Amino acid sequence: MKTLHTSQHYAAYQHPVAGLIVQSTRKAGGVRLTPYHPQYENYVDAFETAIDSFEGDALCRALLN
């Protein structure tokens, strides 16, 4: 499993089978985007090219809400 983003509030991981996993460290639960989801590659690319932690957190918030 590859870590894409971690911060005080969020964590995002890329798993080869499960896909993109995003979790909140403040609340229970999270979301999973399978590799077959139409936006999967776009989100993985966005996490990999995020400029800073604020951008990574914004991506996590967008997926969790």
Side-chain angles (χ1 to χ4, degrees):
M1 187 158 43
K2 178 181 174 185
T3 301
L4 296 174
H5 172 74
T6 56
S7 71
Q8 181 179 2
H9 303 293
Y10 302 103
Y13 306 98
Q14 182 183 15
H15 189 273
V17 176
L20 182 63
I21 302 165
V22 178
Q23 299 174 325
S24 171
T25 58
R26 298 177 293 173
K27 300 178 193 173
V31 297
R32 181 175 66 94
L33 232 59
T34 65
Y36 307 107
H37 189 279
Q39 295 297 317
Y40 173 78
E41 290 296 328
N42 294 333
Y43 273 108
V44 170
D45 183 53
F47 275 112
E48 289 178 341
T49 59
I51 295 170
D52 57 16
S53 175
F54 296 112
E55 190 173 352
D57 281 355
L59 288 164
C60 288
R61 275 192 303 275
L63 283 166
L64 289 171
N65 290 328

